[in-house]
């Protein structure tokens, strides 16, 4: 399972949105009127008076929205730490707009609610709200997540998932909210016991080959969410609750491979939780037997399931690697899966991991595999393999004998061409370029991103724009 999407999906299962009044009580006297309006907005919302909340917010926004929107249009990103209170009108207007959206949701006005959420991230994308517990949260990101959750959940509920719920072109707030939202829908659907809904969602995602704008597979997020144990501590009770929910799902759909793959994923995740993420020589001796037993059980579950789901192959390859299967056995699994489900990137990533020395591969195996994928996919195939290698090895890949930096660069540019609408992919490639000190690739990525920074990859927009200007000024 790709680390990127595993982390996102787990985060979606355990995080909760902080409430707040939007501005700090320590703000200067000129801000106090806005502080009072925000406090009143939250009070009306929590009192359950939805009509009064919407009316109050509309009146408040009528007095400040013009100036707030004008200021918001000049913002290129979230304010840097310590400067969050420097845009009080933007923060107030954005938070009030979010309060309005929540009121419309509670009033059952779905169309108006979705439109109000869109207003938050469109008009005030970089507003921030202060939580009295001591941190800032971002109403635009919250609105994005909630909007995606409702769109996906509505499509599952009405059986209308006929097109991608994700945009052709991302903005700075779409990633990772798309993944978080999908994971939340899967988790909520499983928790409700809507097994038919889970089957529908998994089937449609597989039929559509649903991907995120950066090319990442959505199906892997589905299995991370359905097969993971909720709870920040991953206690035994959480693992058992996940097992019971999946067992009920499997009982309802005994012929489906989907709950079996979800159960296998649960067992694999629990095995790694027991083992720990360190190197083998750091694992406690008593953890190994439990690890092996859980991994073996996952293999048994998968072997009792039809191989009609692409995730089956990724999970089975993960099991094979953990049980020290031979390189030939692992290659056979990959080739069979790649033939059945060509282009399923989580499987490609799993095979790449098997080629790394830290997971049993031999030095140079990953590069050989990259060349193998180049033959079938072109430079893009080489880059996809090396991206996974880079995620583990970072700039040390430059020391690999036979590494082709020019081919890697071409493959990354091809990926940006293929997924032109993905701002997050451009910035991810930009991070790779900077780590490898590839000035040519960095300039190309900076050029494509323009002045649009991404909060996942940059602390603030000033740092991004400074780095961009410095890179593009070089001859």
């Amino acid at each position: 399972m790709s680390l990127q999407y595993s982390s996102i999906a787990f985060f979606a299962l355990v995080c909760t949105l902080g409430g707040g009044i939007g501005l700090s009580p320590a703000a200067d006297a000129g801000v106090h009127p806005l502080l009072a309006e925000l406090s009143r907005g939250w009070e009306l919302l929590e009192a359950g008076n939805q009509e009064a909340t919407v009316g109050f917010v509309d009146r408040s926004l009528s007095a400040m929205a013009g100036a707030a929107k004008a200021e918001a249009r000049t913002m290129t990103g979230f304010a840097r730490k310590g400067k969050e209170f420097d845009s009080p009108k933007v923060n107030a207007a954005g938070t009030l707009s979010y309060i309005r959206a929540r009121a419309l949701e509670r009033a059952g006005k779905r169309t108006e609610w979705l439109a109000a959420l869109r207003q938050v991230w469109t008009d005030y994308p970089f507003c921030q709200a202060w939580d009295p517990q001591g941190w800032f949260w971002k109403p635009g990101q919250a609105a994005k997540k909630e909007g995606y959750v409702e769109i996906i959940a509505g499509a599952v509920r009405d059986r209308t998932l006929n097109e991608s719920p994700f945009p052709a072109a991302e903005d700075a707030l779409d990633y990772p909210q798309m993944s978080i939202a999908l994971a939340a829908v899967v988790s909520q659907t499983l928790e409700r016991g809507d097994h038919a809904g889970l089957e529908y969602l998994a089937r449609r995602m597989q039929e559509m080959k649903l991907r995120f704008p950066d090319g990442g597979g959505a199906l892997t997020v589905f299995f991370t969410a359905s097969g993971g144990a909720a709870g920040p501590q991953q206690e035994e009770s959480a693992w058992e609750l996940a097992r019971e929910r999946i067992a009920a799902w499997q009982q309802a759909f005994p012929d489906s491979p989907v709950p079996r793959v979800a159960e296998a994923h649960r067992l694999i995740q629990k095995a790694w939780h027991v083992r720990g993420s360190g190197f083998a020589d750091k694992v406690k001796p008593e953890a190994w037997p439990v690890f092996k037993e859980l991994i073996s059980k996952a293999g048994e579950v998968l072997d009792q399931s039809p191989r009609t789901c692409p995730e089956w192959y990724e999970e089975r390859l993960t099991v094979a690697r953990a049980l020290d299967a031979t390189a030939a056995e692992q290659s056979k699994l990959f080739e069979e899966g790649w033939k059945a489900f060509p282009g399923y990137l989580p499987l490609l990533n799993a095979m790449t991991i098997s080629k790394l020395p830290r997971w049993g591969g031999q030095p140079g195996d990953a590069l050989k595999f990259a060349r193998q994928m180049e033959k079938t996919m072109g430079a893009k195939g080489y880059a996809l393999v090396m991206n996974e290698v880079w995620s583990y090895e970072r700039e040390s890949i430059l020391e690999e004998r036979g590494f082709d930096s020019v081919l890697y660069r071409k493959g990354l540019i091809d990926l940006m061409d293929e997924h032109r609408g993905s701002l997050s992919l451009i910035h991810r490639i930009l991070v790779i370029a900077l780590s490898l000190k590839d000035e040519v690739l960095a300039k190309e990525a900076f050029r494509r991103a323009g002045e649009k920074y991404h909060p996942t990859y940059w602390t603030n927009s000033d740092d991004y724009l400074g780095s961009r200007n410095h890179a593009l000024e070089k001859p």
Side-chain angles (χ1 to χ4, degrees):
M1 186 73 63
S2 168
L3 176 63
Q4 170 191 334
Y5 291 111
S6 297
S7 302
I8 291 168
F10 177 72
F11 177 73
L13 300 181
V14 301
C15 72
T16 56
L17 175 67
I21 55 178
L23 293 169
S24 168
D28 61 54
V31 175
H32 282 189
L34 299 179
L35 177 63
E37 296 212 8
L38 285 168
S39 297
R40 180 58 177 159
W42 284 117
E43 288 170 2
L44 288 170
L45 179 67
E46 295 308 315
N49 193 334
Q50 317 309 339
E51 185 177 349
T53 303
V54 173
F56 172 78
V57 170
D58 285 345
R59 290 191 297 274
S60 297
L61 288 176
S62 67
M64 74 174 77
K69 288 180 182 179
E71 183 180 355
R73 286 192 290 270
T74 69
M75 297 175 68
T76 56
F78 294 109
R80 66 170 61 242
K81 187 175 182 179
K83 299 290 185 180
E84 296 92 345
F85 296 125
D86 288 0
S87 302
K89 289 184 179 179
V90 173
N91 289 344
T95 306
L96 283 168
S97 296
Y98 179 78
I99 292 172
R100 183 177 183 274
R102 294 296 296 270
L104 290 167
E105 175 197 11
R106 295 180 183 183
K109 299 181 178 180
R110 182 178 185 272
T111 302
E112 292 90 337
W113 167 42
L114 290 174
L117 289 174
R118 180 176 295 277
Q119 181 183 12
V120 179
W121 77 66
T122 300
D123 292 345
Y124 314 103
F126 300 121
C127 68
Q128 299 191 66
W130 174 256
D131 188 296
Q133 297 182 70
W135 60 78
F136 284 93
W137 59 278
K138 299 172 174 63
Q141 289 183 341
K144 276 280 188 181
K145 175 194 168 185
E146 292 172 28
Y148 280 125
V149 165
E150 176 54 24
I151 290 170
I152 298 169
V156 173
R157 181 178 59 246
D158 301 333
R159 303 295 193 264
T160 55
L161 186 58
N162 299 317
E163 59 183 21
S164 174
F166 310 124
E170 298 173 355
D171 62 29
L173 305 184
D174 283 309
Y175 174 87
Q177 304 309 318
M178 297 176 290
S179 305
I180 293 173
L182 175 58
V185 170
V186 173
S187 179
Q188 293 162 8
T189 306
L190 180 60
E191 184 177 351
R192 290 197 308 272
D194 181 6
H195 306 127
L198 290 167
E199 289 289 320
Y200 171 79
L201 180 56
R203 176 174 59 80
R204 288 300 297 137
M205 286 198 297
Q206 182 173 334
E207 291 172 346
M208 297 167 63
K209 297 181 180 179
L210 184 64
R211 296 182 178 183
F212 299 104
D214 66 354
L219 198 59
T220 193
V221 176
F222 176 96
F223 285 103
T224 301
S226 62
Q233 303 303 321
Q234 291 185 294
E235 297 175 352
E236 184 59 34
S237 58
W239 292 111
E240 179 60 20
L241 179 59
R243 186 198 66 77
E244 291 174 355
R245 287 173 173 169
I246 294 171
W249 177 11
Q250 186 173 329
Q251 185 175 6
F253 288 87
D255 297 327
S256 171
V258 184
R260 293 181 186 275
V261 175
E263 172 61 7
H265 180 79
R266 184 192 71 84
L267 289 165
I268 292 169
Q269 292 299 99
K270 185 177 181 181
W272 280 96
H273 175 68
V274 170
R275 179 196 182 280
S277 58
F279 287 103
D281 61 348
K282 302 298 183 183
V283 177
K284 295 179 181 179
E286 61 269 24
W288 282 116
V290 181
F291 174 78
K292 295 291 186 181
E293 180 183 3
L294 290 167
I295 291 292
S296 296
K297 285 182 178 179
E300 292 170 5
V301 169
L302 290 168
D303 290 342
Q304 294 169 6
S305 169
R307 307 181 183 193
T308 54
C309 172
E311 190 70 14
W312 186 96
Y313 286 95
E314 190 211 347
E315 303 291 350
R316 194 63 185 82
L317 187 54
T318 301
V319 168
R321 181 172 62 248
L323 294 179
D324 300 321
T326 66
E329 290 170 334
Q330 295 182 57
S331 293
K332 182 179 178 181
L333 271 172
F334 171 76
E335 295 296 342
E336 180 183 322
W338 197 251
K339 182 178 180 180
F341 303 101
Y344 190 64
L345 296 186
L347 177 58
L348 181 71
N349 293 338
M351 191 60 194
T352 302
I353 293 170
S354 293
K355 299 293 185 180
L356 297 175
R358 69 175 69 192
W359 300 117
Q362 297 298 314
D365 280 357
L367 283 174
K368 291 178 184 177
F369 183 55
R371 287 293 186 180
Q372 175 187 334
M373 298 314 299
E374 179 202 358
K375 292 179 181 178
T376 59
M377 302 177 71
K380 181 182 74 171
Y382 185 91
L384 288 170
V385 173
M386 295 311 300
N387 280 352
E388 191 69 13
V389 176
W390 177 87
S391 71
Y392 285 92
E393 307 296 343
R394 292 300 194 264
E395 59 271 14
S396 65
I397 66 173
L398 293 170
E399 302 169 8
E400 291 281 344
R401 183 178 180 181
F403 171 67
D404 190 332
S405 61
V406 175
L407 180 60
Y408 188 26
R409 178 196 303 152
K410 182 180 186 308
L412 291 173
I413 291 174
D414 287 349
L415 285 172
M416 288 191 288
D417 285 340
E418 182 177 346
H419 306 288
R420 289 184 178 274
S422 179
L423 182 64
S424 61
L425 176 64
I426 295 173
H427 280 275
R428 199 173 307 135
I429 289 174
L430 182 54
V431 171
I432 294 173
L434 293 173
S435 79
L436 301 182
K437 296 181 173 58
D438 187 334
E439 294 185 1
V440 174
L441 180 60
K443 282 186 177 182
E444 179 62 19
F446 273 125
R447 184 187 65 78
R448 292 181 184 233
E451 296 186 353
K452 298 178 181 178
Y453 103 118
H454 202 291
T456 300
Y457 301 98
W458 297 88
T459 304
N460 57 74
S461 60
D462 291 341
D463 287 350
Y464 166 69
L465 292 173
S467 296
R468 179 178 184 270
N469 290 339
H470 178 71
L472 295 181
E473 285 171 0
K474 289 185 177 182

